[in-house]
Amino acid sequence: MTVMPPPRHLFAAPSSEDARPHAVVIGSGFGGLAAAVRLGALGYRVTVLERLDQPGGRANVFHQDGHVFDAGPTIVTAPFLLEELWSLCGRRLSDDVTLVPMHPFYRIRFDDGATFAASADPDAMRAEVARLAPADVAGYERFFREAADIYRVGFEKLGAVPFGSVADMLRRLPDLIRMGAHRSVWRHVASCVKDERLRTALSFHPLFIGGNPFSVTCVYSLIAYLERRDGVHFAMGGTHSIVRGLVGLIEGQGNAVRLNADVAGITTRDGRATGVVLADGEAIAADVVVSNADTATTYAKLLKPEARRRWTDGKVGRARQSMGVFLWYFGTDRRWPAVDHHTILLGPRYKGLLTDIFRRKRVAADMSLYLHRPTATDPGLAPPGRDTFYALSPVPNLAGGETWPAERVETYRRMVEKRLEETVLPGLSAHVTTSRVATPVHFRDRYKAWQGAAFGMEPVLTQSAWFRPHNASEDVRGLYIVGAGTHPGAGLPGVLSSAKILDEVVPHASTVR
């Protein structure tokens, strides 16, 4: 499949003669692009400002030696949230994006060599459980019944609902108590099944959104059910094809994405957002400002201290951030047909490794990896006869003091390579033809991610729902927050839902002015 670069007309701006109230969106990650589509549907003239040279934020793409690499998200769940955006524009998602269901979703490889293939087929899943831990089949079924109930409450009832006041939280408290939201995902899974490998296979999902399964609320058990309910998909051409599709929707609404537009600050007057100022000094007035920038960066760097009462520098500094990631993108001169599209390679430790990452902020000698081989589904993302990969290793964010100098980066990359050679890619080092690495430093410098955290604030209970930065800013009227750092959280469904909440909290353009 041929992957086209972003069209040049992305640099265009809405006409200055357009009389619609103006909304500015800071950042063009999935949350920002979805917000722009919804604001357009609410009647606004929308300008999305992206500091990088292509749209997508962390979901950007790069081409290297004939290989096409998605730099960020690779797993698409809850595609109905994307369908909603296309529907708002009178189109269908399939008009612009081809989603392919994954079978299996991913294959988990335990350190002892045993595997577990996760899929949407209930019979196949029962068979996998029976093969791995026959005594746990009934407990596995119980877990999914409970996860389905949590999904109905945590996602369908609360996922796209704003938590703008304590009263909002109190109204939902009975539901949260009923599903035992004080428990961690691990405790929930462990109460249902006994086999340690199966406990791992059913509890690791919070890592997809930057959470520690041993500390985040069991509300996130809903991820396992969400996968089964709606499947796991891959966008042909790579995840960035969805980004290009969203940009096309925005343009079709008469709105635009401006690239190389670095927002230096949000302007306010009398406690209300009035627009933004770019790093080159350009001032852009707005009736509504939506930030898809990292939430901690939005409050601590884009707003002056006098404009903030709740999210002071001290409060931002005390917040717990998610883990970082070490990413190795590489291409090979041969194909590896036995390797699935998504593989989870677990190391010898589970809880101990996560304790090192989240609490001790220490880079461990062992690792677990997520291996992405998109050419298993779309061979056009590599030259003929070759494969494209990326390997992701969870690591501490920068709060632990690791600075990732060049020699440290290469040492860790070789550790990742060695682990892959020992497991699913024997002889890998002799076949690598292109390579690139990203660390938490990269996330801090390129994406302005606070402490280099890959997923914003850690989704522990005391940083969820009302306790998380609100979608309608508590500090500044007319300022709204979308993306991983606000409610409901990280991951593609989370950031798309954060944009959906704008329908509830942003006034229709016809009522402005």
Side-chain angles (χ1 to χ4, degrees), residues 47-392:
T47 305
V48 181
L49 301 173
E50 171 55 56
R51 61 182 296 274
L52 301 179
D53 60 0
Q54 62 171 286
R58 301 179 197 191
N60 63 87
V61 65
F62 67 91
H63 302 246
Q64 187 165 297
D65 298 325
H67 295 263
V68 181
F69 295 93
D70 274 318
T74 58
I75 294 176
V76 179
T77 55
F80 60 88
L81 291 170
L82 293 169
E83 290 283 6
E84 286 182 13
L85 297 172
W86 263 258
S87 179
L88 287 172
C89 300
R91 297 178 60 79
R92 299 180 61 183
L93 176 63
S94 59
D95 293 336
D96 302 305
V97 179
T98 300
L99 291 184
V100 178
M102 297 285 95
H103 299 291
F105 299 158
Y106 40 78
R107 192 176 304 276
I108 301 171
R109 185 190 185 279
F110 301 97
D111 194 52
D112 63 3
T115 62
F116 182 88
S119 72
D121 185 335
D123 292 334
M125 287 290 281
R126 276 191 294 270
E128 283 290 282
V129 173
R131 181 180 58 80
L132 192 71
D136 277 328
V137 173
Y140 160 81
E141 296 283 11
R142 175 188 154 202
F143 168 76
F144 265 96
R145 286 194 302 270
E146 293 178 2
D149 186 49
I150 291 172
Y151 171 85
R152 285 188 286 271
V153 174
F155 192 90
E156 292 183 344
K157 291 178 64 175
L158 306 182
V161 173
F163 281 79
S165 69
V166 175
D168 292 329
M169 189 72 175
L170 293 176
R171 276 195 297 272
R172 275 83 188 196
L173 197 57
D175 284 329
L176 295 171
I177 292 172
R178 182 170 59 81
M179 61 182 165
H182 63 283
R183 298 175 299 165
S184 69
V185 169
W186 171 262
R187 283 184 60 196
H188 177 209
V189 171
S191 72
C192 297
V193 299
K194 304 303 180 186
D195 185 271
E196 289 296 316
R197 293 172 302 178
L198 187 58
R199 286 177 169 180
T200 301
L202 296 179
S203 70
F204 79 91
H205 300 83
L207 292 165
F208 286 152
I209 58 169
N212 181 350
F214 292 89
S215 59
V216 302
T217 168
C218 73
V219 171
Y220 294 103
S221 292
L222 67 83
I223 300 174
Y225 179 77
L226 175 66
E227 289 182 342
R228 173 186 281 193
R229 180 185 183 275
D230 297 300
V232 171
H233 300 78
F234 176 72
M236 295 297 285
T239 309
H240 205 259
S241 66
I242 304 174
V243 171
R244 292 191 298 275
L246 288 169
V247 170
L249 296 182
I250 294 166
E251 182 186 35
Q253 294 174 311
N255 298 318
V257 177
R258 282 184 56 182
L259 306 179
N260 301 299
D262 186 4
V263 174
I266 298 169
T267 57
T268 63
R269 184 173 61 248
D270 299 327
R272 173 173 287 278
T274 58
V276 299
V277 175
L278 303 187
D280 64 6
E282 179 185 358
I284 302 174
D287 300 281
V288 166
V289 176
V290 176
S291 181
N292 183 219
D294 183 273
T295 305
T297 299
T298 297
Y299 280 112
K301 300 296 184 182
L302 299 184
L303 282 168
K304 293 180 179 179
E306 55 267 29
R308 296 178 273 132
R309 298 181 310 278
R310 181 171 180 181
W311 290 100
T312 62
D313 289 351
K315 185 172 178 64
V316 170
R318 289 190 299 271
R320 289 168 55 177
Q321 301 298 317
S322 69
M323 66 191 183
V325 295
F326 182 101
L327 287 160
W328 180 35
Y329 310 92
F330 61 97
T332 61
D333 62 8
R334 54 156 289 193
R335 288 180 61 81
W336 307 79
V339 177
D340 291 286
H341 189 121
H342 302 294
T343 303
I344 310 293
L345 296 166
L346 294 169
R349 299 184 303 150
Y350 185 44
K351 184 176 183 179
L353 176 61
L354 295 176
T355 298
D356 282 343
I357 292 170
F358 284 92
R359 293 188 182 178
R360 297 173 181 158
K361 299 290 192 292
R362 181 175 70 189
V363 179
D366 59 327
M367 63 181 65
S368 290
L369 299 172
Y370 158 59
L371 181 65
H372 180 225
R373 179 181 171 244
T375 37
T377 303
D378 188 350
L381 297 176
R386 302 190 174 210
D387 261 336
T388 294
F389 292 92
Y390 89 41
L392 181 154

